[in-house]
Amino acid sequence: MSHQLSDRINNLPISQTLSMAAKARELKSQGIDIISLSLGEPDFNTPDFIKEAAKQAIDANYNSYTPVDGYLELQEAVCRKFIRDNGINYTPNQIVVSTGAKQSLANVAMVLLNPGDEAILPAPYWVSYEAIVNLCEAIPVVISTNIEQDFKITPEQLETAITPKTKLVFFNSPSNPSGAVYSKQELRALADVLVKHPHVYVISDEIYEHIIYEGSAFSMAAFDDMYENTITINGLSKAFAMTGWRLGYLGAPQWIAKACTKMQGQITSGTNCITQRAAITALDAPVSKIKYMVDEFKERRNLVLNLLQDIPGFITKNVPGAFYFFPDVSYYFGKTVQGQKIENATDLSMYILEKANVATVTGDAFGTPNCIRLSYATSRELLVEAIGRIKEVLEI
Ligand code: PMP
Ligand code: GLU
């Protein structure tokens, strides 16, 4: 039988973060002792006070379809959160709750991008940004950075990348995969470029805002002159250890929010009603309630930094946010390691999987082919074991 899938799906790459995680799971199920540093997923349980809210919602018979853009009480809680943590004023009709920040991102791209429009992706960028832009038949315009510039773009690079066809800039601070965080001054310098180009909109993906160890995150939409051109995206997955509950949200000018609601009204409807009720409790809680997770991530960050800096050929700098390291491993390209030729980061990542039984993600997935990504959202014991194994198999 011949299969006749659309060009759209045939041209869509599989998410490399998810496929590496699936590969690790499969090898594990075959009895192989795999340690996965591939997936960016907190290893904590969802905090009890949020689980309690979900249990109460089930008992209170929350079981019906919700408004497509989320319960009003949740939109109000999101508004309170945006004021409290980010200094951004949104009203509930500017908030759209979705099935994860991933859907929020896709919604915005789908409602703003026409075929042929350009979308700027500062690299390294999160894996799904490029796929989403391609799905919209828009053109990804990549701004490359490197570890010397801490993987942050400069205002000059941004200015050069903007053309009359630019519609969107994808912005992510703290960054997955680099862990970079832009200071308020650095963001202001980028905003100074953007305000000269009012046809350009910014998606500010702030899903790692609370996972930060030095300094603090700042929101693009908090600048008055960027408010009308910024869509702020966030979600519960990372800060509250709720990846599987599936809830993300955005704040945006009302015309964009309305369009996103129209889009998801035809595709998914509102997200899970129990998750939404639990989200009200999560977002209204003081940030101090989740600090124990951030404290633990910080300990791991310090541990992993020391371990990685001990591996010859890995260029690693300290990172202020998220839970990833993104070492430059180009030293190994063209070299033979323990009998195996390594040409690029994908080869190295596969070599490490096969020889050390440790899953990482190639930098190619993030538009930065000199690097590999290691997630440290796993226990300290496993991190020590995993990085020890990597070091061993990389001895030349
Ligand atoms: N943005 C970034 C930068 C991410 O790392 C992720 C991964 N979880 C998402 C968005 C999507 O998160 P969610 O689980 O809310 O869909
Ligand atoms: N955002 C996580 C990561 O980058 C989860 C995987 C995904 O959603 O693609 O690993």
Side-chain angles (χ1 to χ4, degrees):
M1 197 179 82
S2 73
H3 299 280
Q4 300 191 338
L5 290 173
S6 67
D7 295 345
R8 183 180 307 115
I9 194 68
N10 281 332
N11 293 335
L12 186 73
I14 293 174
S15 161
Q16 292 198 59
T17 46
L18 298 183
S19 67
M20 197 54 157
K23 195 172 284 172
R25 245 180 253 130
E26 190 193 314
L27 291 170
K28 228 175 193 167
S29 75
Q30 293 167 12
I32 302 171
D33 173 25
I34 296 284
I35 303 176
S36 180
L37 308 186
S38 60
L39 203 58
E41 171 162 44
D43 57 327
F44 296 99
N45 292 326
T46 301
D48 285 342
F49 73 97
I50 303 175
K51 292 197 290 200
E52 272 318 309
K55 289 178 201 168
Q56 281 171 23
I58 293 173
D59 288 338
N61 293 311
Y62 280 97
N63 47 239
S64 309
Y65 286 130
T66 77
V68 172
D69 50 356
Y71 288 121
L72 177 61
E73 295 95 315
L74 175 53
Q75 291 172 308
E76 288 168 347
V78 170
C79 291
R80 287 192 289 276
K81 175 257 165 315
F82 273 132
I83 282 283
R84 181 193 66 198
D85 299 341
N86 312 98
I88 314 174
N89 256 304
Y90 289 120
T91 49
N93 58 11
Q94 294 177 272
I95 305 299
V96 184
V97 176
S98 299
T99 307
K102 200 181 267 189
Q103 188 186 14
S104 307
L105 288 157
N107 279 341
V108 176
M110 297 280 265
V111 307
L112 286 183
L113 291 173
N114 273 321
D117 283 347
E118 293 174 359
I120 294 179
L121 305 178
Y125 48 79
W126 181 50
V127 58
S128 293
Y129 295 167
E130 189 186 13
I132 289 170
V133 169
N134 285 328
L135 256 187
C136 296
E137 297 176 54
I139 301 164
V141 174
V142 175
I143 303 179
S144 296
T145 65
N146 55 43
I147 197 160
E148 283 82 50
Q149 64 190 107
D150 293 329
F151 297 112
K152 295 194 237 185
I153 58 167
T154 63
E156 295 73 28
Q157 284 182 301
L158 181 59
E159 183 75 69
T160 309
I162 294 175
T163 75
K165 287 187 143 189
T166 309
K167 190 71 184 277
L168 265 181
V169 180
F170 282 72
F171 198 76
N172 176 217
S173 170
S175 156
N176 173 8
S178 75
V181 179
Y182 287 77
S183 68
K184 183 176 177 185
Q185 290 72 15
E186 286 165 337
L187 269 193
R188 185 60 251 174
L190 297 177
D192 286 341
V193 173
L194 291 163
V195 292
K196 291 189 276 172
H197 304 279
H199 64 291
V200 177
Y201 293 84
V202 179
I203 289 182
S204 181
D205 178 349
E206 303 182 1
I207 195 153
Y208 293 96
E209 71 171 339
H210 293 309
I211 304 179
I212 188 159
Y213 318 113
E214 279 96 31
S216 55
F218 193 82
S219 297
M220 195 58 110
F223 293 128
D224 285 345
D225 54 1
M226 285 302 300
Y227 180 83
E228 292 296 337
N229 281 54
T230 304
I231 300 98
T232 310
I233 290 181
N234 212 319
L236 301 189
S237 287
K238 311 295 170 176
F240 298 97
M242 292 176 72
T243 47
W245 294 61
R246 307 311 299 134
L247 192 136
Y249 54 87
L250 62 77
Q254 205 193 335
W255 61 276
I256 297 177
K258 240 173 112 179
C260 290
T261 304
K262 186 170 154 192
M263 173 63 66
Q264 82 180 26
Q266 293 287 25
I267 295 182
T268 58
S269 300
T271 193
N272 180 302
C273 55
I274 307 303
T275 298
Q276 288 194 48
R277 300 312 302 183
I280 299 171
T281 301
L283 291 174
D284 275 338
V287 176
S288 57
K289 279 214 157 184
I290 52 169
K291 194 170 169 289
Y292 66 97
M293 291 189 264
V294 183
D295 289 345
E296 174 60 23
F297 283 134
K298 185 173 182 180
E299 291 296 326
R300 295 177 190 176
R301 192 267 321 246
N302 296 343
L303 172 75
V304 172
L305 176 67
N306 279 330
L307 295 170
L308 289 179
Q309 284 184 331
D310 214 26
I311 301 183
F314 272 34
I315 307 173
T316 317
K317 275 192 180 173
N318 202 0
V319 289
F323 36 61
Y324 308 99
F325 274 100
F326 199 54
D328 184 315
V329 295
S330 55
Y331 164 84
Y332 290 97
F333 300 173
K335 292 203 166 65
T336 300
V337 186
Q338 301 185 14
Q340 193 155 324
K341 189 90 194 267
I342 306 292
E343 297 291 1
N344 50 44
T346 304
D347 282 356
L348 190 75
S349 175
M350 290 316 293
Y351 173 81
I352 289 172
L353 179 65
E354 281 157 20
K355 292 285 171 18
N357 290 339
V358 176
T360 59
V361 183
T362 172
D364 287 286
F366 310 97
T368 305
N370 279 353
C371 301
I372 62 170
R373 188 188 79 172
L374 301 94
S375 158
Y376 52 89
T378 196
S379 72
R380 295 189 215 183
E381 295 73 31
L382 284 178
L383 289 167
V384 171
E385 169 71 20
I387 298 167
R389 286 193 208 169
I390 295 176
K391 189 172 177 212
E392 222 175 276
V393 300
L394 286 180
E395 268 159 24
I396 295 187

